[in-house]
Amino acid sequence: MRTGSQIVRVAFTYIGTVVGAGFASGQEILQFFTQYGGLATLTIAISTVLFIWIGIKLMLMAHELKATSYEDLNRVLFGHKIGNWISLFTMLVLFGITTVMLAGGGTVFEEQLHLSYQTGLLVTLVLAYFVLSRGIGAIMTVNSFVVPIMLIFSLVIVIYTWHSPSSDNWLRITSDASLVKIGFAPFLYTAFNLAMAQAVLVPMGASIEKRSVLYWGGLLGGAGIGLLLWSAHYALSAQMPGIAQYEIPMGNIINRLGSAPQFAYLLVIYGEIFTTFIADAYGLSLQLQQRTKLKPKVLLFGILALSYLVSQIGFKTLLSVLYPVFGFISVIWLVLMIWRNRYRAM
């Protein structure tokens, strides 16, 4: 495969792994950026720099370590004993997110396509098994289809907002939040998303032969995440403060554009749910392979089956407890990633 194509595939996989359903709904952008008014553009710029810098560093570390899973990286960052505990906790959070993403796929089928919730779960599971059983290459291929749709969709949203009378809100709106809270938001957002993205970025970094592919792929992917963040913030800002009352703020904007954009948005939502689902399930399977002697496909089937069972009863309560704790650990993880300077950029 040509180097240019590999770079694009790495970039798209990076974007697709980080950008999840919370992003597509607009809720993440609203909570971490848009609510802070004009300073949000600066905090998005900080996040973009971190996504580029740490994303490249993460993949290059995985490349040099020849890491099998994120557990190998955590042992380097935290030490063998603490790294094991961090990896176990990460595994629990990954499973929680996997279950929530699967439930989200079922909800899309039920609420948007008017099919049964169970149909959505089973279709998502079958598609996921088909992709995951083919390894990291198949995950990269899926992202190569999904991410361009996200980018086109974001462009449509920006063009629509450009003609809005309140299109300059992203520069004008203010916030009562403290500068400390505003300043911490991009670090927390980036830390959490990158800590979760280890599930795919680590094995991808280890599987790519050329360091230059990882460098340019990380640069392009991090910049792409920043572009998506800003485009969503730009659109949401034009509808502030009223848009903040909606659970799916981006959906409220899309409903004004007609049936074609609504269908595209449906594809984006499901695509982002699916890419997050397969990323986390893949990371789980790799970590469990290191800890058990079970065959990869047996582990994969077990993870998907358990996700299906838990999605019937819900995982939201436990996840509401795990998320804040993992957010704190993610910030420590980010600090350690910044602190380690052994791995050069090129």
Side-chain angles (χ1 to χ4, degrees):
M1 184 180 292
R2 293 181 179 179
T3 299
S5 298
Q6 279 192 311
I7 289 172
V8 172
R9 279 164 61 86
V10 168
F12 283 171
T13 302
Y14 186 10
I15 294 170
T17 301
V18 168
V19 175
F23 187 108
S25 70
Q27 196 59 245
E28 278 188 5
I29 293 90
L30 190 65
Q31 295 300 322
F32 282 94
F33 301 105
T34 303
Q35 68 166 321
Y36 299 131
L39 288 176
T41 301
L42 175 60
T43 58
I44 286 172
I46 293 171
S47 274
T48 303
V49 170
L50 289 171
F51 275 122
I52 292 171
W53 177 25
I54 305 301
I56 291 172
K57 193 172 185 178
L58 172 61
M59 289 188 286
L60 290 180
M61 285 181 69
H63 177 83
E64 293 194 17
L65 291 168
K66 298 299 178 188
T68 301
S69 76
Y70 60 84
E71 184 161 2
D72 295 327
L73 186 70
N74 283 335
R75 285 172 179 168
V76 171
L77 292 176
F78 295 96
H80 188 84
K81 187 175 182 179
I82 296 177
N84 278 341
W85 284 106
I86 295 294
S87 293
L88 283 170
F89 185 72
T90 302
M91 181 170 65
L92 183 59
V93 176
L94 276 174
F95 178 73
I97 297 174
T98 298
T99 304
V100 171
M101 289 302 107
L102 178 59
T107 301
V108 168
F109 272 69
E110 183 178 36
E111 294 184 356
Q112 303 298 324
L113 299 178
H114 305 294
L115 298 172
S116 74
Y117 177 75
Q118 298 301 323
T119 299
L121 295 183
L122 294 174
V123 168
T124 303
L125 286 170
V126 170
L127 290 175
Y129 185 82
F130 178 80
V131 172
L132 292 170
S133 61
R134 285 157 177 77
I136 188 68
I139 293 175
M140 294 175 73
T141 299
V142 169
N143 280 285
S144 296
F145 283 102
V146 173
V147 173
I149 297 175
M150 297 181 199
L151 294 171
I152 293 170
F153 175 77
S154 295
L155 179 61
V156 170
I157 292 296
V158 168
I159 293 172
Y160 167 75
T161 305
W162 185 268
H163 296 93
S164 168
S166 54
S167 60
D168 62 345
N169 269 10
W170 66 288
L171 294 171
R172 294 189 297 106
I173 55 178
T174 58
S175 171
D176 295 330
S178 69
L179 289 177
V180 173
K181 186 177 181 180
I182 295 172
F184 188 65
F187 293 95
L188 181 59
Y189 179 79
T190 308
F192 183 82
N193 280 284
L194 277 174
M196 297 311 302
Q198 291 181 87
V200 163
L201 296 188
V202 168
M204 182 169 68
S207 68
I208 300 294
E209 293 183 6
K210 294 183 179 180
R211 290 172 55 87
S212 60
V213 169
L214 296 173
Y215 178 84
W216 291 108
L219 178 62
L220 186 61
I225 293 167
L227 180 63
L228 288 170
L229 281 172
W230 180 84
S231 62
H233 164 64
Y234 177 66
L236 291 169
S237 294
Q239 308 298 326
M240 285 290 283
I243 197 72
Q245 67 181 298
Y246 296 98
E247 287 193 23
I248 306 179
M250 194 63 74
N252 181 260
I253 296 174
I254 301 306
N255 289 338
R256 308 171 191 177
L257 302 185
S259 57
Q262 286 176 11
F263 180 72
Y265 180 65
L266 176 63
L267 292 178
V268 168
I269 283 282
Y270 186 75
E272 292 183 2
I273 287 172
F274 187 72
T275 54
T276 303
F277 179 68
I278 60 176
D280 293 345
Y282 185 69
L284 279 171
S285 67
L286 290 182
Q287 187 185 3
L288 288 171
Q289 283 176 44
Q290 290 183 279
R291 291 174 173 268
T292 70
K293 295 182 179 180
L294 295 175
K295 293 182 179 179
K297 289 189 176 181
V298 173
L299 281 171
L300 182 58
F301 183 83
I303 290 168
L304 296 179
L306 190 58
S307 295
Y308 175 77
L309 292 174
V310 177
S311 68
Q312 307 298 315
I313 60 176
F315 207 82
K316 291 184 179 179
T317 302
L318 179 57
L319 210 58
S320 67
V321 176
L322 294 177
Y323 259 45
V325 178
F326 190 74
F328 175 73
I329 291 175
S330 297
V331 171
I332 297 174
W333 178 90
L334 181 67
V335 170
L336 289 174
M337 283 296 298
I338 292 172
W339 176 72
R340 292 194 67 88
N341 56 12
R342 172 184 167 188
Y343 298 90
R344 64 191 186 280
M346 283 291 283

